[in-house]
Amino acid sequence: MVSYGEFREVTEEAPDARPQPPRTPRRSGCPFCLIVCGRAPATVLREWPDALAIRPRHGGVTAGHVLVIPRVHVADVAEDPVVSAATMLRAAELAAEAGDCNVITSRGPAATQTVRHLHLHVVPRAEGDGLLLPWTAARPAET
């Protein structure tokens, strides 16, 4: 039997009221941290004080595919809600320019996260582009 995570009702104080652990600005060996500090190549498409928008290394899955990464090391969307929200703000700015698009992030290997540094994909879409989300069943071929 497969067990899926459950959402639990939170009855304690708000997350921002709890003390936060000190943020590690960079993590040794993290490919996105290396890009942020200028020690690895990347095509930077936009910069903000808190984030970068870069082109995926292999060009992306559609024209205009962009990754938005925070400048501080956060492993995934759940590690630091404030950094995650700020990074989503930047992705939303790009999505507003992109038109129809998916804005996607993953948390953990089972959810297809391959780099353990928060990143949001902004993937422009077009009707009939054939790109399926991981949970979308393939459409039967038309005859």
Side-chain angles (χ1 to χ4, degrees):
M1 173 177 211
V2 176
S3 174
Y4 296 96
E6 296 180 13
F7 293 100
R8 297 177 300 281
E9 185 175 333
V10 176
T11 56
E12 58 194 46
E13 57 191 57
D16 58 346
R18 288 181 275 172
Q20 296 292 317
R23 172 67 38 231
T24 303
R26 310 281 184 270
R27 172 122 335 131
S28 174
C30 171
F32 289 156
C33 287
L34 292 171
I35 289 169
V36 166
C37 69
R39 293 182 39 219
T43 302
V44 177
L45 303 170
R46 185 134 343 143
E47 293 188 59
W48 301 272
D50 53 0
L52 294 176
I54 62 173
R55 180 167 291 126
R57 184 172 31 179
H58 300 294
V61 295
T62 65
H65 181 170
V66 174
L67 299 177
V68 181
I69 60 173
R71 289 183 182 268
V72 297
H73 185 85
V74 173
D76 59 49
V77 70
E79 183 175 296
D80 187 324
V82 173
V83 172
S84 296
T87 306
M88 176 56 87
L89 170 68
R90 302 313 183 182
E93 291 173 6
L94 295 175
E97 299 171 13
D100 291 354
C101 64
N102 293 113
V103 179
I104 303 169
T105 191
S106 300
R107 179 177 187 240
T112 71
Q113 183 182 16
T114 57
V115 177
R116 295 286 293 163
H117 183 118
L118 173 65
H119 56 288
L120 286 85
H121 297 258
V122 179
V123 182
R125 300 299 303 271
E127 190 68 38
D129 63 14
L131 182 62
L132 301 175
L133 294 173
W135 55 85
T136 304
R139 295 181 190 101
E142 295 185 25
T143 56

